[in-house]
């Protein structure tokens, strides 16, 4: 089943409302900037492919589940509020109907999760189907209003100037709802996932509600989860990355070595993403994102990777050699053991209440199928091969002893090698276990209605059963009545073990959509800035009157009052940041670039725009503490002086705190501007009177400028 890729977005044939925000802006503005098509490629959500139909059905079921849950909540509230017996009877009847509908919808969602044939490779006709994960569904999120308001309030810029950036972000998220089953789709999800931390730093703060609600539906129950926390968005995108890896692995052509290698890599990466998701996001209140569920899903992906490794080893053919057959028996036993562990985790509470019956039944079928293959390979090695004079007896004995944990009483590996009758009896015992395991696999297959729809699975199980029966009949002697021996268990072993692999694209550098706001390390949601202040700079004799430093943005570190140009800088403060020179935005420019712009200024001057940090770290530069040799002592003395002055003005005697309590309470204040004196006190302090190089000026230190 192929995916239809969007050619740079959807334009026509997508209904009244465009699917991408960029197309909508183009229709509204008809401008060259916003008229370009969406630059993010995803699958066409309107294409009638098998996978798109499945996702559309999943979205429809999720909406119906929401409707029924709201009706159930209303009925339960009414049942609690009323005392009328007739009303309670009617509400109880309606509640039973709602619960019945919910149960039917849950079964329908389980059937969609069991539709693995849609994701299989069209070239596969003789392989057991693999289980992929479906993508989590989400609602569309409109960032426009919230981001524009935040840009205006926090960054003091017009949010309408960032319509294109907001539209690009919304289009990227929209494209991630239908990613292609290819590397391009994976890169799309990885790009959005790595964009989320940048968006969080720009617009999300712990002490302010963003006004945005992210809604994601549980993959197994269909129950929606709506939160303002961006962690839900990150975790859900990570889950979809793992789901897309499973779909890529399921779609691989397992009839070729290249396809099997791709499948193994995809399932290992899916397991790595699920483990990363489990370790990173531990408090997401959703069943499919719970630690227990993620651990089970990771184990299932590793089991499928191990199954593909086994198929890769048998694809060129199995040599009809004693040692080769023993090795393949242990490889098959390894796959069986892993699937058995996955099945055991699926039947544990609370996972068993949410995992589709199809999944647990499939794991049980594969456990029995590969166990029967292990016994068949070992029986073939014992029945078809005898110890010859040219064979390495020591090597065969060592290999055979590593296959069994324990042999029947009175027997040893050397006896099995040298005694023909012993080999035949043990071989027939293994064939009996192979037949029993195949029959158990077919029994479980018949109990699950979704498994019965997979004709290829039934054909493989039936063919394996007939092969084991034919082998048993060929070595059966009807006159024997004493050969009912129990075959020992086979020790599982593999030369190539599947392991989780975290893909490299989970941590990649992406373009910051809002880089025009300035460097992220300075202009972020945690740093509070004043509104930009405009001032006129008129150079005198080629001098600017201040000194600059720092990487973008450039900071004013000192003023030179003796310079004639300083007269025009009455509104600039030490520690301010220059954000614009004339009409040129310089938040991302270095010192040399800004100085280059200022050197070209003529006698008419140029307008500068500066901003100041509103926290304590940057305000230290606006005081004369920078030019005092002891900044910490300066702050402590100012605090003591300020407290004494306030006590004198109020006419009240305040109890002096002890030195220890003062140090504990004011340790953080001693290095902040809260401990610095105001402008009216700073001129009376002795160090301001003796400082002749940079005399204090109340116009420079006015707190209203912040």
């Amino acid at each position: 089943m192929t995916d239809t890729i969007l050619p740079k977005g959807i334009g026509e044939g997508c209904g009244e409302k465009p699917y991408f925000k960029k197309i909508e802006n183009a229709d509204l503005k008809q401008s060259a900037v916003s008229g370009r098509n969406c630059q993010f490629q995803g699958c066409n959500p309107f294409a009638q492919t098998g996978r798109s139909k499945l996702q559309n059905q999943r979205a429809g079921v999720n909406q119906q589940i929401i409707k029924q849950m709201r009706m159930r909540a209303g009925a339960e509230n009414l049942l609690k509020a009323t005392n009328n017996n007739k009303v309670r009877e009617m509400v109880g009847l309606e509640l039973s109907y709602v619960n019945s509908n919910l149960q039917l919808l849950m079964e329908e969602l389980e059937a969609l999760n069991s539709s693995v044939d849609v994701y299989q490779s069209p070239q596969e006709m003789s392989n057991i189907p693999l289980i992929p994960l479906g993508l989590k569904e989400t609602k569309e999120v409109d960032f426009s209003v919230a981001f524009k308001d935040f840009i205006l309030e926090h960054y003091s810029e017009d949010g309408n100037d960032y319509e294109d950036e907001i539209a690009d972000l919304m289009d990227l998220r929209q494209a991630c709802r239908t990613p292609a089953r290819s590397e391009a789709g994976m890169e799309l999800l990885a790009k959005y996932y790595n964009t989320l931390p940048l968006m969080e730093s720009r617009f999300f703060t712990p002490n302010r509600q963003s006004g945005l609600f992210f809604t994601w539906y549980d993959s197994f129950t269909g129950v929606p989860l709506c939160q303002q926390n961006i962690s839900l968005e990150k975790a859900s995108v990570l889950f979809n990355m793992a789901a897309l890896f499973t779909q890529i692995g399921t779609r691989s052509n397992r009839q070729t070595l290249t396809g099997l290698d791709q499948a193994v890599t995809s399932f290992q990466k899916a397991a790595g993403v699920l483990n990363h998701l489990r370790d990173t996001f531990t408090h997401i209140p959703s069943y499919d994102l719970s630690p227990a569920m993620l651990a089970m899903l990771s184990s299932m992906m590793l089991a499928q990777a191990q199954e593909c490794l086994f198929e890769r080893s048998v694809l060129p053919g199995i040599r009809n050699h004693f040692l080769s057959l023993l090795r393949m028996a242990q490889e098959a036993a390894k796959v069986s053991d892993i699937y058995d562990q996955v099945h055991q985790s699926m039947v544990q509470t609370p996972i068993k209440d949410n995992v589709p019956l199809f999944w647990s039944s499939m794991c049980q079928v594969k456990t029995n199928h590969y166990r029967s293959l292990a016994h068949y390979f070992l029986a073939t090695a014992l029945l078809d091969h005898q110890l010859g004079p040219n064979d390495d007896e020591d090597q065969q004995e060592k290999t055979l002893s590593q296959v069994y944990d324990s042999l029947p009483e009175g027997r040893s590996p050397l006896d099995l090698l040298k005694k023909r009758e012993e080999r035949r009896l043990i071989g027939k015992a293994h064939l009996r276990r192979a037949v029993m395991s195949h029959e158990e696999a077919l029994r479980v297959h018949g109990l699950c209605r979704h498994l019965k729809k997979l004709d290829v699975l039934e054909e493989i199980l039936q063919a394996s059963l007939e092969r084991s029966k034919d082998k048993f009949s060929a070595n059966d002697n009807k006159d024997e009545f004493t050969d009912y021996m129990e075959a020992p268990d086979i020790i599982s072993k593999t030369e190539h073990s599947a392991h989780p692999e975290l893909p490299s694209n989970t941590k990649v550098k992406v373009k910051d959509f809002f880089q025009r706001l300035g460097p992220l390390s300075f202009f972020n949601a945690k740093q509070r800035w004043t509104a930009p202040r405009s001032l006129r700079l008129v150079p005198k004799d080629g001098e600017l009157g201040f000194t600059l430093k720092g990487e973008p943005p450039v900071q004013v570190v000192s003023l030179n009052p003796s310079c004639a140009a300083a007269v025009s800088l009455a509104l600039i403060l030490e520690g301010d940041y220059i954000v614009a020179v004339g009409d040129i935005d310089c938040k991302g420019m270095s010192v040399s670039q800004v100085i280059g712009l200022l050197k070209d200024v003529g006698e008419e001057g140029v307008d500068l725009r500066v901003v100041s940090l509103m926290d304590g770290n940057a305000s230290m530069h606006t005081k004369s503490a920078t030019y005092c040799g002891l900044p910490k002592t300066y702050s402590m003395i100012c605090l003591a002086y300020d407290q004494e002055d306030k006590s004198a003005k109020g006419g009240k005697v305040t109890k002096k705190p002890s030195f220890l309590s003062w140090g504990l309470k004011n340790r953080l204040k001693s290095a902040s501007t809260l401990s610095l004196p105001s402008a009216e006190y700073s001129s009376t302090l002795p160090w301001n009177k003796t400082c002749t190089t940079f005399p204090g000026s109340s116009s420079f230190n006015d707190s209203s400028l912040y």
Side-chain angles (χ1 to χ4, degrees):
M1 197 66 63
T2 58
D3 297 328
T4 304
I5 306 301
L6 294 178
K8 300 294 184 180
I10 301 176
E12 301 178 356
C14 54
E16 296 180 358
K17 184 179 179 180
Y19 187 72
F20 287 113
K21 189 71 175 177
K22 211 65 162 180
I23 306 297
E24 183 179 357
N25 288 348
D27 294 338
L28 293 175
K29 289 188 173 183
Q30 295 294 331
S31 62
V33 177
S34 61
R36 62 182 186 272
N37 289 334
C38 177
Q39 57 181 314
F40 309 110
Q41 293 183 351
C43 285
N44 189 342
F46 307 102
Q48 295 301 311
T49 63
R51 192 175 69 125
S52 64
K53 290 179 181 179
L54 198 64
Q55 288 298 124
N56 291 334
Q57 292 176 15
R58 191 190 304 273
V61 171
N62 290 334
Q63 293 296 329
Q64 295 180 42
I65 289 177
I66 289 181
K67 180 180 177 181
Q68 295 297 326
M69 291 184 65
R70 289 174 177 171
M71 293 177 62
R72 185 174 68 176
E76 290 175 347
N77 292 334
L78 182 58
L79 195 63
K80 295 177 182 178
T82 183
N83 293 323
N84 191 311
N85 292 332
K86 186 176 181 179
V87 174
R88 291 179 65 87
E89 182 179 354
M90 294 176 60
V91 172
L93 182 61
E94 183 66 25
L95 196 58
S96 65
Y97 287 150
V98 171
N99 289 330
S100 178
N101 291 335
L102 273 175
Q103 184 64 31
L104 293 176
L105 290 173
M106 294 295 182
E107 293 179 0
E108 187 176 351
L109 186 61
E110 179 182 351
L112 293 177
N113 288 327
S114 305
S115 302
V116 298
D117 53 331
V118 176
Y119 299 95
Q120 307 300 316
S121 172
Q123 291 85 7
E124 290 187 10
M125 301 299 295
S126 59
N127 291 94
I128 299 179
L130 300 173
I131 300 176
L133 297 179
L135 298 176
K136 284 175 68 71
E137 290 290 331
T138 180
K139 285 185 176 181
E140 185 176 353
V141 178
D142 189 357
F143 297 109
S144 301
V145 177
F147 281 8
K148 287 180 181 179
D149 291 345
F150 192 86
I151 290 174
L152 179 61
E153 175 187 343
H154 188 81
Y155 297 103
S156 302
E157 296 192 32
D158 188 0
N160 294 322
D161 295 339
Y162 292 87
E163 285 187 351
D164 287 337
E165 287 81 355
I166 297 175
D168 284 339
L169 178 62
M170 294 176 63
D171 289 344
L172 176 59
R173 188 183 190 274
Q174 194 75 351
C176 288
R177 297 176 65 182
T178 55
R181 281 188 296 175
S182 61
E183 289 298 327
M186 191 57 60
E187 292 177 1
L188 189 69
L189 288 175
K191 182 174 184 178
Y192 181 62
Y193 175 74
N194 289 279
T195 301
L196 289 176
L198 303 179
M199 184 174 70
E200 182 181 16
S201 299
R202 292 284 191 190
F203 300 103
F204 291 82
T205 57
N207 53 358
R208 183 183 186 275
Q209 297 295 333
S210 63
L212 295 173
F213 290 90
F214 301 100
T215 302
W216 289 85
Y217 297 90
D218 192 289
S219 313
F220 302 105
T221 64
V223 177
L225 177 61
C226 183
Q227 285 188 352
Q228 296 191 56
N229 192 351
I230 199 173
S231 296
L232 174 63
E233 185 87 348
K234 295 179 182 179
S236 300
V237 174
L238 265 183
F239 184 91
N240 279 356
M241 290 178 66
L244 194 59
F245 272 124
T246 64
Q247 295 179 15
I248 293 175
T250 306
R251 191 186 185 185
S252 302
N253 184 9
R254 290 151 62 196
Q255 298 297 321
T256 62
L257 293 176
T258 303
L260 285 170
D261 290 338
Q262 183 185 24
V264 171
T265 303
S266 299
F267 284 118
Q268 290 183 150
K269 289 183 177 180
V273 173
L274 291 171
N275 286 342
H276 177 67
L277 176 57
R278 180 193 60 190
D279 298 337
T280 307
F281 303 95
T282 57
H283 301 290
I284 304 297
S286 181
Y287 284 117
D288 54 355
L289 299 178
S290 62
M293 181 66 74
L294 292 175
M296 185 277 296
L297 293 177
S298 177
S299 301
M300 186 174 69
M301 297 308 127
L302 290 178
Q304 296 188 137
Q306 193 66 45
E307 181 182 3
C308 293
L309 287 172
F310 174 78
E311 292 177 351
R312 192 185 190 284
S313 62
V314 302
L315 184 63
I318 303 175
R319 292 179 57 197
N320 193 8
H321 187 268
F322 182 77
L323 296 179
S324 298
L325 291 171
L326 293 184
R327 182 176 65 85
M328 295 311 303
Q330 290 186 298
E331 291 280 356
K334 182 67 175 180
V335 179
S336 175
D337 288 350
I338 296 178
Y339 270 114
D340 185 49
Q341 295 173 6
V342 175
H343 177 258
Q344 293 302 322
S345 64
M346 285 184 177
V347 297
Q348 301 296 324
T349 306
I351 298 178
K352 67 176 182 180
D353 299 329
N354 302 308
V355 170
L357 177 63
F358 171 84
W359 287 17
S360 58
S361 300
M362 177 67 85
C363 290
Q364 198 172 0
V365 166
K366 290 186 177 183
T367 299
N368 289 283
H369 172 67
Y370 285 103
R371 181 182 296 136
S372 65
L373 287 182
H375 287 287
Y376 177 81
F377 287 139
L378 188 52
T380 304
L382 294 174
L383 294 173
D384 295 353
H385 297 277
Q386 303 296 328
L387 183 62
N390 298 326
D391 294 334
D392 190 345
E393 180 180 330
D394 294 337
Q395 184 181 4
Q396 291 192 10
E397 180 184 6
K398 179 181 178 181
T399 305
L400 188 60
S401 63
Q402 294 175 351
V403 172
Y404 293 119
D405 188 16
S406 62
L407 285 171
E409 186 177 356
R411 292 175 174 85
S412 64
L414 189 58
D415 293 337
L416 295 182
L417 292 176
K418 292 184 176 181
K419 297 179 181 180
R420 183 184 183 90
E421 186 62 20
E422 293 291 338
R423 293 167 71 108
R424 191 176 69 84
L425 292 178
I426 294 292
K428 287 179 61 178
H430 282 295
L431 286 176
R432 274 194 296 270
R433 288 198 63 176
V435 172
M436 292 172 58
S437 296
H438 279 307
E439 291 176 346
E440 177 65 17
L442 285 170
R443 186 189 69 83
V444 176
H445 173 269
L447 293 177
C448 182
R449 60 188 180 94
H450 298 298
L451 277 179
K452 290 193 292 186
K453 298 178 182 179
L454 301 177
D455 298 332
V456 62
L457 177 59
E458 185 177 4
E459 293 174 1
I460 292 174
L461 296 177
Q462 196 65 43
S464 300
L465 176 61
E466 295 299 328
R467 183 179 58 187
S468 297
K469 285 183 176 181
D470 293 342
K471 190 74 172 179
F472 183 83
S473 300
N475 293 271
D476 186 26
N477 188 352
K478 297 182 180 180
D479 298 334
E480 294 177 350
F481 299 98
T482 59
D483 62 343
Y484 293 102
M485 180 187 301
E486 183 69 22
D489 294 330
I490 301 174
I491 299 177
S492 62
K493 183 181 178 181
T494 181
E495 295 181 357
H496 304 283
S497 180
H499 57 276
E501 178 183 343
L502 186 63
S504 58
N505 55 9
T506 56
K507 294 182 180 180
V508 295
K509 290 185 178 181
V510 294
K511 177 184 176 182
D512 184 6
F513 287 113
F514 301 92
Q515 60 183 354
R516 288 198 294 131
L517 289 173
L520 185 60
S521 57
F522 285 88
F523 298 96
N524 51 58
K526 295 181 180 180
Q527 301 274 22
R528 296 188 60 196
W529 296 88
T530 62
R533 307 188 303 276
S534 297
L535 54 97
R536 189 73 177 176
L537 172 64
V538 181
K540 299 295 183 179
D541 300 329
E543 295 186 6
L544 302 176
F546 54 80
T547 304
L548 303 177
K549 77 165 187 178
E551 295 299 323
V554 173
Q555 185 182 25
V556 178
V557 292
S558 62
L559 298 172
N560 186 7
S562 61
C563 178
V567 178
S568 62
L569 301 177
L571 295 178
I572 198 170
L573 303 172
E574 295 169 0
D576 284 350
Y577 293 86
I578 300 178
V579 296
V581 177
D583 296 331
I584 301 176
D585 188 288
C586 61
K587 290 193 288 289
M589 293 186 179
S590 62
V591 174
S592 58
Q593 291 174 320
V594 174
I595 292 179
L597 294 176
L598 297 176
K599 284 184 177 180
D600 297 333
V601 177
E603 296 180 355
E604 66 280 2
V606 67
D607 291 329
L608 297 182
R609 298 184 69 194
V610 297
V611 294
S612 303
L613 269 176
M614 296 179 67
D615 59 0
N617 294 332
S619 299
M620 283 293 295
H621 299 290
T622 66
K623 304 295 180 179
S624 58
T626 306
Y627 311 106
C628 176
L630 299 172
K632 286 188 177 180
T633 306
Y634 174 80
S635 299
M636 293 171 63
I637 295 175
C638 292
L639 179 62
Y641 182 89
D642 195 21
Q643 289 177 345
E644 292 175 4
D645 188 84
K646 288 182 179 179
S647 300
K649 283 187 176 182
K652 296 180 180 180
V653 179
T654 58
K655 183 180 179 181
K656 269 192 173 183
S658 65
F659 179 76
L660 292 178
S661 63
W662 182 89
L664 291 174
K665 293 181 180 179
N666 299 284
R667 183 178 300 169
L668 296 177
K669 288 185 178 182
S670 63
S672 67
T673 55
L674 296 177
S675 60
L676 292 173
S678 59
E680 57 180 324
Y681 299 135
S682 61
S683 60
T684 62
L685 297 178
W687 47 79
N688 283 335
K689 293 180 180 180
T690 57
C691 184
T692 57
T693 308
F694 296 96
S697 175
S698 61
S699 62
F700 291 166
N701 296 330
D702 190 357
S703 60
S704 64
L705 297 180
Y706 292 89

